[in-house]
Amino acid sequence: SAPYKTIIMPLDQRVGSNDKYLAMVQTLRAQLSAHAINYKVDDSGASIGKRYARNDELGIPLAITVDFDSVGTNADSALANTVTLRERDTCTQVRISVDEVVDIVAKLTTRKLTWADVQNLYVEQKNTASEQIGGGKATEGAAAGGEAAESKGEEKKEAEAYLAKHKLTEVLNEMVNKTLADRPEDPVKHLAALLAAKAGN
């Protein structure tokens, strides 16, 4: 098995020199050490794709990436203090709160969770790192659908702001985690009971 279980990396040098990134890394380092998880930080100047490839070759199964959303320099403030967690074998990634990511890494490394479980719990991050670096530049041909995309983008932002305001994602993740831990015969009934108890608080 790989000497390192996870790697921490900034999306690029601009993120790497951000104060919020540096504070996040300190927190992640402390939490990973507390869980006795071997990790390394890769903040070299190589592109994110090259760093992923290099660490894949070393057999490091997981990568925690801090991007522009994480440090709050993108317009979507609902994603501040989240990171992406990438799994080597499937090359897929999910977005997770920085407060939860080490716990998830610990559960994955001790096989308490599978990557499929994690994908069910968290939103998959579809856009590639290179799109984020490029700021998702639109081609001229795509301009025609711009207005529709813009209103969709507004709807998405409103939905994400609503989710963030009411901490719905955190609440639901917590409930699903409890259900997974208990593995009841009727998971839907179990979830409903947990939600009813939460609503009664």
Side-chain angles (χ1 to χ4, degrees):
S1 69
Y4 298 108
K5 296 297 181 194
T6 190
I7 184 126
I8 303 169
M9 56 173 93
L11 185 66
D12 68 8
Q13 299 286 38
R14 288 170 293 173
V15 174
S17 59
N18 185 292
D19 286 342
K20 277 192 187 166
Y21 162 78
L22 299 168
M24 268 186 191
V25 170
Q26 264 190 311
T27 303
L28 290 168
R29 277 176 179 273
Q31 290 177 353
L32 287 163
S33 298
H35 280 279
I37 295 168
N38 284 349
Y39 68 92
K40 72 173 197 158
V41 177
D42 185 350
D43 50 10
S44 68
S47 73
I48 188 82
K50 279 188 181 157
R51 281 178 286 146
Y52 280 148
R54 184 167 63 203
N55 293 299
D56 286 353
E57 278 173 30
L58 292 172
I60 299 171
L62 299 163
I64 299 168
T65 304
V66 179
D67 59 18
F68 295 111
D69 288 321
S70 311
V71 296
T73 53
N74 268 356
D76 197 345
S77 58
L79 299 179
N81 297 314
T82 62
V83 291
T84 63
L85 182 66
R86 176 184 182 273
E87 200 256 350
R88 183 197 60 182
D89 295 338
T90 58
C91 292
T92 53
Q93 50 186 349
V94 292
R95 187 167 281 283
I96 301 183
S97 155
V98 73
D99 300 328
E100 293 175 62
V101 70
V102 172
D103 188 47
I104 294 296
V105 168
K107 283 176 178 164
L108 284 166
T109 53
T110 54
R111 293 188 165 78
K112 284 182 184 164
L113 281 179
T114 65
W115 183 247
D117 291 333
V118 174
Q119 285 178 301
N120 287 334
L121 287 170
Y122 295 95
V123 178
E124 193 168 331
Q125 188 68 16
K126 295 285 188 193
N127 56 336
T128 63
S130 57
E131 279 171 11
Q132 288 192 28
I133 293 169
K137 291 184 187 111
T139 58
E140 283 171 33
E147 280 181 29
E150 209 170 283
S151 72
K152 250 189 175 171
E154 286 302 311
E155 279 173 31
K156 190 180 170 211
K157 270 189 193 156
E158 280 176 23
E160 281 171 350
Y162 179 83
L163 282 172
K165 182 185 173 189
H166 296 285
K167 296 197 166 139
L168 282 179
T169 311
E170 288 91 330
V171 169
L172 290 170
N173 283 339
E174 187 190 322
M175 302 299 169
V176 173
N177 279 333
K178 280 181 183 166
T179 304
L180 274 172
D182 297 343
R183 297 199 188 274
E185 267 187 41
D186 188 341
V188 176
K189 199 173 178 182
H190 187 264
L191 272 171
L194 287 172
L195 283 165
K198 186 89 179 169
N201 281 351

